[in-house]
Amino acid sequence: MTSFGGTASSGMVDWNLAVATATRLVRPGPEVSRDEARAVVAELRRHAKSSEAHVRGFTRMGTEDVHDTPVLVVDRPGWVRANVAGFREILRPLLEKMQERRGNGPGNAVLGAVGGKVTGVELGMLLSFLSSRVLGQYETFAPATADLPAAGAPGGGRLLLVAPNIVHVERELDVEPHDFRLWVCLHEETHRTQFTAVPWLRDHLEGEIQSFLAETDVDPVTFLERLRDAAQSLAGGRPEGEEDDGGRSLVDLVQSPAQREILARLTAVMSLLEGHADFVMDGVGPDVVPSVAEIREKFQQRRAKGASHLDLALRKLLGLDAKLRQYRDGERFVRAVVGEVGMDGFNRVWTSPNTLPTKAEIAKPADWVARVHGRTD
């Protein structure tokens, strides 16, 4: 197992224990034979490769650097290991800041008792929950590790396809497996294209995230309490009636007035990226995925209804409902802009950070067209 320890922030989170806990608790994937598993992995690799040309042709976002970004077909523990490496990297400033406050803050005694090991266990429980729900992911800030390669560019980057989750969902929806696997790859390949074809995008996002974290002045005890709430939801340990505390998520804890402005910009960018991927997936789909209409309808129904009461509570706590809105709002924005100014006109969104849509423009695409293209209705 890859080691994630050895930094100043390790006192706040025992990353190795988070990986071990998540790996131990992760639910088994669907039953498949060894031959079937090999066939699924091979097919996902083929679809990821073929998706490159489909996405570049449809979006007109040509890039040669995509070949330097590895595509990894992983199981659920592999997804956990990859994400712990990414989380540890991007959260380092926040955790170091919290570590400094640990010595003088009023919660020092509590933190001393709880320690990084308990936090690691709780984070591991959350990761085990999430690991069975992600179909694919472009890891923008992924550093390379011994068993998880990343792109050679600064900051890395890799595309993950979680094979057991893809098989589980295709069976649950009762859709054609080969079509569904290609459909998923088209979405994730769009994300890879976004970051490889727009060189400034990764650094811009990292700058916004680091500015957000630099403004954070959260009490470590409060942060751990919210993390514990989420973990206890998974374990069934929350008292009856305490699932809803006013709608706060973990993200809500670390918002100052200055952070709300940063978060609004981040929300707009993420809505753009997710909505663009959905738009491309549906735009390419009819030509290469025969059953795309059936897949889209069933998948949208699955997204909308969620799962159990526990799942809904955790989605709210972790801020995942906001991500579902990003898919919907972003796709509407992209569709409206492409309908008004065409694909080349839409692609001006990638010119610079100044041409990215604001949160208000995501809701009113005509305002973006007017600002960037100088056109009004």
Side-chain angles (χ1 to χ4, degrees), residues 342-366:
M343 185 63 75
D344 290 335
F346 165 79
N347 280 340
R348 288 183 64 177
V349 78
W350 312 116
T351 304
S352 75
N354 293 329
T355 56
L356 291 172
T358 64
K359 189 175 181 181
E361 288 171 341
I362 288 288
K364 295 183 178 180

Side-chain angles (χ1 to χ4, degrees), residues 193-257:
T193 297
Q194 289 163 348
F195 284 94
T196 53
V198 185
W200 55 263
L201 184 58
R202 182 204 173 276
D203 289 342
H204 172 70
L205 269 181
E206 183 179 28
E208 293 279 54
I209 292 171
Q210 294 305 335
S211 295
F212 182 87
L213 295 177
E215 291 288 333
T216 298
D217 193 27
V218 64
D219 178 2
V221 176
T222 305
F223 181 85
L224 292 179
E225 285 175 350
R226 295 301 288 173
L227 184 60
R228 189 167 300 110
D229 281 347
Q232 287 177 348
S233 292
L234 290 173
R238 296 183 81 175
E240 185 69 25
E242 288 191 7
E243 292 90 346
D244 189 350
D245 61 356
R248 293 186 307 164
S249 71
L250 286 170
V251 173
D252 293 327
L253 279 179
V254 289
Q255 286 189 58
S256 66

Side-chain angles (χ1 to χ4, degrees), residues 4 42 99 112 142 158 178 191 214 217 253 314 316 320 323 354:
F4 299 102
Q99 179 79 4
R158 56 183 166 237
H178 305 294
H191 287 316
D217 193 27
L253 279 179
L314 277 167
K316 189 173 188 179
L320 299 182
K323 185 173 179 64
N354 293 329

Side-chain angles (χ1 to χ4, degrees), residues 80-363:
V80 168
R81 290 193 298 272
N83 275 266
V84 164
F87 289 161
R88 177 175 175 267
E89 189 69 22
I90 201 68
L91 291 177
R92 187 192 308 270
L94 174 62
L95 294 178
E96 288 179 346
K97 185 174 184 178
M98 292 172 65
Q99 179 79 4
E100 291 175 1
R101 292 192 59 182
R102 177 176 175 174
N104 301 319
N108 182 43
V110 175
L111 283 172
V114 173
K117 291 191 178 300
V118 173
T119 310
V121 168
E122 291 165 347
L123 180 59
M125 293 175 70
L126 290 179
L127 288 169
S128 70
F129 168 80
L130 295 172
S131 69
S132 63
R133 283 156 173 76
V134 177
L135 301 182
Q137 173 185 0
Y138 182 77
E139 282 202 294
T140 315
F141 307 106
T145 64
D147 55 345
L148 292 165
R158 56 183 166 237
L159 182 62
L160 303 179
L161 297 169
V162 191
N165 296 349
I166 293 173
V167 172
H168 170 79
V169 173
E170 71 191 27
R171 291 179 178 178
E172 178 185 313
L173 298 181
D174 190 25
V175 293
E176 210 291 317
H178 305 294
D179 285 3
F180 184 74
R181 294 165 195 175
L182 177 55
W183 190 72
V184 171
C185 287
L186 289 170
H187 182 101
E188 303 308 331
E189 178 59 36
T190 302
H191 287 316
R192 185 164 70 147
T193 297
Q194 289 163 348
F195 284 94
T196 53
V198 185
W200 55 263
L201 184 58
R202 182 204 173 276
D203 289 342
H204 172 70
L205 269 181
E206 183 179 28
E208 293 279 54
I209 292 171
Q210 294 305 335
S211 295
F212 182 87
L213 295 177
E215 291 288 333
T216 298
D217 193 27
V218 64
D219 178 2
V221 176
T222 305
F223 181 85
L224 292 179
E225 285 175 350
R226 295 301 288 173
L227 184 60
R228 189 167 300 110
D229 281 347
Q232 287 177 348
S233 292
L234 290 173
R238 296 183 81 175
E240 185 69 25
E242 288 191 7
E243 292 90 346
D244 189 350
D245 61 356
R248 293 186 307 164
S249 71
L250 286 170
V251 173
D252 293 327
L253 279 179
V254 289
Q255 286 189 58
S256 66
Q259 285 177 305
R260 290 190 183 96
E261 295 183 9
I262 302 172
L263 190 61
R265 294 196 298 269
L266 281 170
T267 299
V269 174
M270 297 312 297
S271 295
L272 170 69
L273 298 180
E274 295 294 355
H276 183 234
D278 266 11
F279 178 78
V280 172
M281 183 168 57
D282 288 345
V284 174
D287 291 331
V288 297
V289 182
S291 60
V292 64
E294 177 191 1
I295 292 173
R296 165 55 87 184
E297 180 181 359
K298 290 183 175 180
F299 195 77
Q300 288 287 65
Q301 291 173 354
R302 182 179 186 272
R303 267 184 185 170
K305 73 179 182 179
S308 64
H309 177 71
L310 168 63
D311 190 51
L312 294 174
L314 277 167
R315 282 192 350 195
K316 189 173 188 179
L317 182 64
L318 297 172
L320 299 182
D321 279 340
K323 185 173 179 64
L324 294 178
R325 288 193 297 273
Q326 287 170 9
Y327 284 99
R328 183 181 65 246
D329 297 345
E331 196 273 341
R332 279 201 297 254
F333 170 84
V334 176
R335 187 172 299 279
V337 172
V338 171
E340 178 68 21
V341 297
M343 185 63 75
D344 290 335
F346 165 79
N347 280 340
R348 288 183 64 177
V349 78
W350 312 116
T351 304
S352 75
N354 293 329
T355 56
L356 291 172
T358 64
K359 189 175 181 181
E361 288 171 341
I362 288 288

